Amino acid sequence: PQLAMFLLASSLLATWTELSANGSWPTPRHGHSAVFCPRRGWMLLFGGNAFDPTNQLFRFDVARSEWAQLKLAGPPSKREGHTATLTADGRMVVFGGYSGKFLSDVWELAEAPAAAAEDGVAAADDGAAAAANASAVRLAWRRVETSGEAPCGRDGHSSVLAPDGATLLIHGGFDGSRQLSDTYALDTTSWGWRRVATSPAVGGSGEEAPPARCMHCAAWVGGEGGEDGCGGV
């Protein structure tokens, strides 16, 4: 297998371009997550299956076109098929996935106080530029204790950020015995879960929720428009 990066330019006539990059590339994998942090100008890639599940974390600096592996203390367990979602204030929230069992845990990756630098909270594995970036912005993992009605362990689900910038919507997935069609909301300020009650849309198919599915995608459409799912198995 090969690992490659492509950029889709935004225009009326969109074009793909394969990118070249320096640094420590991730190995080829599937089932990983990736989020882009506009404030920092980097992409964070986590986990996936590189012949076996992994919990590696990589950063791609867009301006430098450079990869670096971030070796942080206390990471989540190895996993694939999870989701990672970036909140409006720049935190990456990881939910679920599979690592020999179906997971339902929640993890937050966020900038750490400067004092945490003494503990080596974030470190790049190569490159002076990458090391400089890592020392300027410290990142730390923490497992989040949640409350409320939480979803069961699953992989292959979708996650989107609601317009309030702090609520995650989790939909569908696979729990090891069946595909799912449920939807849950996670408030990342209080860390409370709730199951979302759905009803048929006006002018829609009459169904309260899409048929059960996994390995689909979902995107938020418009400011208050709602979540739009696509595809799946």
Side-chain angles (χ1 to χ4, degrees):
Q2 293 182 330
L3 182 67
M5 294 182 62
F6 292 87
L7 172 69
L8 178 62
S10 178
S11 66
L12 293 178
L13 183 61
T15 57
W16 284 102
T17 303
E18 185 171 2
L19 301 179
S20 59
N22 300 312
S24 179
W25 283 64
T27 55
R29 64 192 61 203
H30 64 85
H32 53 282
S33 62
V35 301
F36 179 68
C37 309
R39 190 157 57 102
R40 296 299 181 187
W42 62 40
M43 178 178 69
L44 294 172
L45 182 151
F46 173 68
N49 188 314
F51 296 105
D52 288 300
T54 178
N55 60 356
Q56 295 172 330
L57 176 67
F58 288 85
R59 181 192 60 226
F60 179 70
D61 188 313
V62 175
R64 297 177 182 273
S65 194
E66 184 173 55
W67 281 104
Q69 184 176 0
L70 304 181
K71 298 180 179 179
L72 312 187
S77 60
K78 299 177 180 181
R79 66 191 62 205
E80 60 179 306
H82 57 282
T83 53
T85 311
L86 191 74
T87 62
D89 59 0
R91 297 171 292 138
M92 185 176 82
V93 180
V94 172
F95 168 70
Y98 179 79
S99 182
K101 63 179 181 179
F102 291 87
L103 305 170
S104 61
D105 51 350
V106 176
W107 289 77
E108 178 191 68
L109 180 68
E111 294 184 18
E118 297 179 1
D119 299 324
V121 171
D125 70 346
D126 65 334
N133 284 346
S135 62
V137 180
R138 299 282 164 174
L139 299 174
W141 284 111
R142 76 179 181 103
R143 182 169 180 169
V144 177
E145 295 297 327
T146 62
S147 61
E149 184 182 359
C152 64
R154 65 189 64 199
D155 71 355
H157 52 282
S158 61
S159 175
V160 297
L161 184 69
D164 65 3
T167 301
L168 272 57
L169 291 173
I170 305 293
H171 178 75
F174 179 69
D175 68 359
S177 60
R178 61 194 175 98
Q179 295 181 19
L180 304 166
S181 62
D182 50 1
T183 303
Y184 288 83
L186 175 64
D187 184 332
T188 65
T189 56
S190 67
W191 298 110
W193 282 108
R194 64 180 176 87
R195 184 161 183 169
V196 177
T198 58
S199 59
V202 176
S205 65
E207 296 182 75
E208 293 188 359
R213 67 189 62 204
C214 64
M215 300 176 65
H216 57 283
C217 63
W220 195 274
V221 180
E224 300 291 337
E227 183 182 1
D228 186 16
C230 180
V233 177

